[in-house]
Amino acid sequence: MLVFLVYCNLCQYHRIVLCLYVFRPPMLSQKRNPDDGDGPADGDNPDDKRRKFRFWSVIQDAPSLQSMQQLLEPLIRKVVREEVELALRKYITRVQRNDGNDGKEICSSGSRCLQLKFVTGVSLPVFTGARIEGRDGSNLTVALVDTISGEVVDTGPQSSAKVEIVVLEGDFEGGGDNYTVEEFKNNIVREREGKKPLLTGDTFVSLKDGIGMVGEISFTDNSSWTRCRRFRLGARIIDDNVGTRVLEAKTASFVVRDHRGELYKKHHPPSLGDEVWRLQKISKDGVYHKRLSQEKIETVQDFLTLLYVQPSRLRNIFGPGMSTKMWEATIEHAQTCVLDKKIYVYKPRDLEQKSGVVFNVVGQVMGLLSDYQLMLTTWLSPHTNTGKKSTLLTMKILL
């Protein structure tokens, strides 16, 4: 058996290539029976015969070895060439990344690895001309964090650096957080020719103790013309004297729509005075909107009132074209409406004044008044699959 061993070691990249060639020696003659009487002649040494046999085997196989060498040599050369090229590519990529960081180390030995982070995501949907906010409705916040501990860095020159907010391509992934300064720059989106700057407002933020509040910023153009029809917001430190490179921040991708779409957006939560098409699954001037208008249901308050007083009639207005899933989505959205605190009491004339029915502004029964006691009732609406149940809680009130 012959073993050809190739060992590649370049730029800390190791690979071993083994090429095995097994050849079968000539067949030995069948064993002779010691009783045949043909034993070795006097003076013949068995070891000498073995040595002679091995020598002649190699001589006989020499042509086979030469042909095998010719067969394996191109294969070995190809494998070695591929491994060397791969190692060189990795080395060149690493050199380019170091050059792309402008000579600044991302994470040098003995120092911290720093990165900018958006504390909250962008509140959706986003429209041109509208203020960009965080998901909780507050200002966007940028923080300088230690990537290892996850804690905010409130000391050092980086904690008071100046940060620029930019627009990035929506498909810029950058291998997670592994990208160069040059890659980040190449994915910054500029305004279209003849247009205003894509991002206007307070696009520069000064960090204080590692945290910066983004002021009022807004888009001047939608994202439909870009290669992936989506944007990201990015944040980068623009000070040149911070030493170690701070990795840039980027948000999740999102769509920016023209401000005309804002006129038709849904309200979360809706208010009692909102037009009924502000509810989910009801389009403005759509078939459901027209049917509701014909029944004099113009506002969210009208919708909720009919829901609690005559739910079956409301369901019939939508007709079989509205699926159960759509119906439930519309009801769920409507019930998030914030009601005022007005309470109404209905007292039939044929009953004593100390008895009656208590309900809220949209006709939902809140309880029963009996003998100057208010029995609060929690109703599960009839449009649910669980049916109607009630829980009574008695408490005294002063009239």
Side-chain angles (χ1 to χ4, degrees):
M1 179 177 68
L2 297 180
V3 179
F4 297 88
L5 175 63
V6 179
Y7 179 72
C8 299
N9 183 353
L10 184 60
C11 299
Q12 299 179 352
Y13 185 83
H14 308 273
R15 179 169 293 186
I16 296 176
V17 180
L18 291 177
C19 299
L20 303 180
Y21 170 55
V22 180
F23 63 88
R24 180 181 299 175
M27 295 295 295
L28 295 176
S29 60
Q30 293 181 352
K31 284 189 176 181
R32 294 180 179 178
N33 194 323
D35 298 333
D36 290 344
D38 293 333
D42 293 341
D44 289 344
N45 190 336
D47 295 335
D48 292 339
K49 286 190 173 183
R50 292 193 196 96
R51 282 195 295 270
K52 290 179 181 180
F53 174 77
R54 287 196 296 268
F55 173 76
W56 283 108
S57 298
V58 173
I59 295 301
Q60 292 173 0
D61 287 340
S64 299
L65 292 176
Q66 292 176 359
S67 61
M68 184 56 64
Q69 180 181 358
Q70 295 175 357
L71 180 63
L72 291 178
E73 184 176 355
L75 176 61
I76 296 174
R77 287 181 180 275
K78 180 181 179 181
V79 172
V80 173
R81 183 173 62 254
E82 290 176 353
E83 299 303 327
V84 171
E85 290 177 354
L86 180 59
L88 285 175
R89 284 198 299 268
K90 290 189 175 183
Y91 174 75
I92 293 172
T93 301
R94 185 162 62 250
V95 171
Q96 290 175 343
R97 286 188 179 276
N98 290 336
D99 293 342
N101 292 331
D102 299 332
K104 299 178 182 179
E105 297 183 17
I106 298 178
C107 191
S108 59
S109 58
S111 65
R112 291 180 293 187
C113 300
L114 305 180
Q115 180 179 13
L116 291 173
K117 288 279 189 181
F118 284 99
V119 178
T120 60
V122 176
S123 178
L124 302 178
V126 179
F127 295 94
T128 57
R131 177 185 175 186
I132 303 174
E133 299 177 337
R135 289 178 181 171
D136 55 357
S138 61
N139 288 35
L140 286 174
T141 304
V142 180
L144 179 68
V145 300
D146 188 318
T147 58
I148 298 178
S149 65
E151 298 179 353
V152 176
V153 179
D154 56 2
T155 59
Q158 298 91 345
S159 64
S160 57
K162 193 173 184 179
V163 176
E164 181 185 13
I165 307 299
V166 296
V167 182
L168 300 173
E169 290 283 0
D171 57 359
F172 174 47
E173 299 292 343
D177 292 334
N178 186 22
Y179 49 84
T180 65
V181 173
E182 194 65 27
E183 289 172 334
F184 187 87
K185 289 180 180 178
N186 291 339
N187 281 275
I188 294 179
V189 183
R190 304 298 181 184
E191 65 274 8
R192 287 190 279 183
E193 185 177 357
K195 296 281 187 176
K196 298 179 181 179
L198 187 56
L199 197 65
T200 61
D202 302 328
T203 57
F204 293 94
V205 181
S206 295
L207 297 181
K208 183 177 181 180
D209 297 329
I211 297 178
M213 301 290 291
V214 181
E216 291 196 9
I217 57 174
S218 60
F219 286 98
T220 61
D221 200 356
N222 60 60
S223 59
S224 62
W225 55 276
T226 60
R227 64 191 183 201
C228 71
R229 302 179 180 272
R230 302 176 75 88
F231 286 146
R232 293 177 187 263
L233 285 181
R236 61 177 178 175
I237 287 183
I238 60 175
D239 292 345
D240 294 330
N241 57 350
V242 296
T244 302
R245 180 200 166 193
V246 178
L247 196 64
E248 298 81 4
K250 60 181 187 293
T251 67
S253 63
F254 52 86
V255 176
V256 178
R257 297 182 174 87
D258 193 83
H259 73 280
R260 290 189 297 268
E262 188 174 14
L263 300 175
Y264 301 94
K265 74 175 184 179
K266 308 301 180 182
H267 288 173
H268 297 274
S271 62
L272 291 174
D274 281 342
E275 294 180 270
V276 70
W277 56 263
R278 295 287 186 182
L279 297 177
Q280 294 286 351
K281 310 302 180 182
I282 302 177
S283 301
K284 184 178 181 181
D285 298 327
V287 58
Y288 298 140
H289 183 203
K290 292 179 179 179
R291 290 179 184 177
L292 292 170
S293 297
Q294 291 175 357
E295 299 294 333
K296 308 300 182 183
I297 303 173
E298 303 290 350
T299 65
V300 174
Q301 183 173 359
D302 297 336
F303 182 94
L304 287 172
T305 300
L306 190 59
L307 173 66
Y308 290 115
V309 177
Q310 292 181 292
S312 58
R313 180 188 169 200
L314 178 62
R315 185 66 180 93
N316 291 334
I317 292 174
F318 287 101
M322 172 174 274
S323 65
T324 302
K325 187 176 181 180
M326 294 175 61
W327 164 256
E328 292 177 349
T330 305
I331 297 304
E332 183 178 354
H333 185 206
Q335 289 178 330
T336 62
C337 178
V338 179
L339 307 179
D340 57 34
K341 298 181 180 181
K342 292 181 179 179
I343 295 294
Y344 300 87
V345 179
Y346 171 71
K347 297 179 179 179
R349 295 181 178 179
D350 55 345
L351 296 179
E352 298 181 9
Q353 290 296 314
K354 58 183 180 181
S355 300
V357 180
V358 180
F359 54 93
N360 61 15
V361 68
V362 293
Q364 183 183 17
V365 176
M366 305 299 295
L368 299 175
L369 182 65
S370 177
D371 196 19
Y372 298 107
Q373 290 184 344
L374 177 62
M375 294 180 291
L376 295 180
T377 306
T378 303
W379 299 88
L380 291 179
S381 300
H383 60 266
T384 62
N385 294 329
T386 55
K388 183 169 69 173
K389 300 179 182 178
S390 62
T391 303
L392 299 181
L393 174 64
T394 303
M395 55 186 299
K396 292 185 178 181
I397 62 172
L398 297 177
L399 296 180

